[in-house]
Amino acid sequence: VMQRFLLGTNWKMHKNFSEALDYTAKLRILAEAYPEYQYFIIPPALYLQELGKRMAGSLVLLGAQNMHWLDEGDFTGELSPAWIADCGAQIAELGHSERRQFYNENDYDLNRKVHAALHYGMRPLLCVGESAQEKMYGITEEALRRQLKIGLFGVVPKDASRVWIAYEPVWAIGASGVPADPAYVEQVHAVLHDCLVELFGERGRGIPVLYGGSVNQENCVALAERKGVDGLFIGRAAWDMEKFKTISEQLHAYFNTGKLGYG
Ligand code: 13P
């Protein structure tokens, strides 16, 4: 079955509550105009409950930016996966490079979080990506395979169908990021898809790999048209609804020429 192309945004630590409400109301309408995409948003966790209510029945999926792996415990400041799921999150974004870099998240703990997300019926959106240093040393493939193999350790093929992967090269993310060359992205996505098949057999083929890192109105089509790119995961360029709309239009023009999704 052909799956819808995935188009999502991670808000990081941006937007106040009224901006969040305004944005999601507009996105709800945008999603109805473009049913060929599966839109999703990853807002701040504090807003999940309200946005979960408002977005119920919409075509837009909702996710959390992070969570703990345990149901409960003495972990001041942490968020239980049970709460996240209860608020209406269908996706748990795990291991974003900013969390790995600034909050010391490691592949072993991320593996626990992947299992927790699956346990609570959410889709783990596991983010992987090589650093500039790893790229320089020529160990991109090793770094990514390691992140996938530890992060997804013990996931049974039956559950693998709920996993999403985001390839986000660390050097390409954020205002100081350098946009990745689409040909390079295609090569890396092939490595990731191969590794997923190695882990899960045929089921691994159905796992979407999204690209993220400095995606914008100018480069979105060049990235989306590459083989193995099953979606785009966008930061800055999607926080402004007008820009996200433009990206949706650009892709629409391209998708009408043949490619409609993945799988
Ligand atoms: P930018 O699109 O702002 O580079 O951020 C990408 C990202 O981190 C998505 O998770």
Side-chain angles (χ1 to χ4, degrees), residues 207-222:
I207 298 179
V209 180
L210 298 86
Y211 173 76
S214 295
V215 174
N216 58 36
Q217 305 97 294
E218 278 80 46
N219 63 20
C220 60
V221 170

Side-chain angles (χ1 to χ4, degrees), residues 219-242:
N219 63 20
C220 60
V221 170
L223 290 161
E225 69 184 359
R226 287 288 169 166
K227 191 168 186 296
V229 175
D230 305 314
L232 295 174
F233 194 24
I234 312 171
R236 289 158 295 151
W239 298 337
D240 177 319
M241 183 47 68
E242 283 311 308

Side-chain angles (χ1 to χ4, degrees), residues 67 69-72 80-83 85-86 89 115-122 162:
M67 62 183 200
W69 60 87
L70 292 173
D71 297 346
E72 60 176 19
S80 161
W83 307 341
D86 196 40
H115 284 281
L118 290 168
H119 175 77
Y120 281 98
M122 295 182 280
R162 277 193 287 135

Side-chain angles (χ1 to χ4, degrees), residues 10 12 93 96 98 127 168 172-175 212-215 233-237 239:
N10 168 18
K12 309 189 182 185
E93 178 187 359
H96 188 278
E98 289 150 16
C127 304
E168 304 205 316
I173 296 174
S214 295
V215 174
F233 194 24
I234 312 171
R236 289 158 295 151
W239 298 337

Side-chain angles (χ1 to χ4, degrees), residues 15-177:
K15 292 195 187 295
N16 62 34
F17 189 52
S18 76
E19 288 165 345
L21 296 184
D22 181 59
Y23 184 98
T24 45
K26 288 178 176 151
L27 182 59
R28 213 185 155 126
I29 296 164
L30 187 68
E32 280 161 22
Y34 294 107
E36 66 265 46
Y37 312 130
Q38 174 61 69
Y39 284 99
F40 64 97
I41 50 168
I42 318 278
L46 277 175
Y47 303 157
L48 279 175
Q49 188 156 34
E50 184 61 29
L51 296 183
K53 277 188 229 158
R54 291 178 188 237
M55 298 305 268
S58 80
L59 301 168
V60 181
L61 297 178
L62 197 61
Q65 297 179 11
N66 175 40
M67 62 183 200
H68 203 278
W69 60 87
L70 292 173
D71 297 346
E72 60 176 19
D74 301 341
F75 302 107
T76 301
E78 286 294 320
L79 295 174
S80 161
W83 307 341
I84 296 291
D86 196 40
C87 286
Q90 296 119 319
I91 301 166
E93 178 187 359
L94 303 172
H96 188 278
S97 73
E98 289 150 16
R99 298 228 40 100
R100 292 178 187 258
Q101 270 179 284
F102 306 132
Y103 304 99
N104 301 318
E105 293 215 2
N106 64 69
D107 293 317
Y108 304 97
D109 288 347
L110 289 168
N111 180 239
R112 297 183 172 102
K113 296 184 182 194
V114 164
H115 284 281
L118 290 168
H119 175 77
Y120 281 98
M122 295 182 280
R123 298 181 168 280
L125 168 51
L126 181 64
C127 304
V128 298
E130 82 282 13
S131 65
Q133 214 175 21
E134 286 164 334
K135 184 168 188 275
M136 197 257 296
Y137 285 120
I139 56 168
T140 294
E141 183 163 342
E142 287 89 336
L144 294 173
R145 288 174 56 85
R146 180 190 163 91
Q147 288 172 24
L148 281 186
K149 292 183 87 164
I150 300 174
L152 299 176
F153 187 78
V155 171
V156 294
K158 165 178 81 59
D159 287 338
S161 57
R162 277 193 287 135
V163 171
W164 288 357
I165 301 297
Y167 169 54
E168 304 205 316
V170 180
W171 45 269
I173 296 174
S176 55

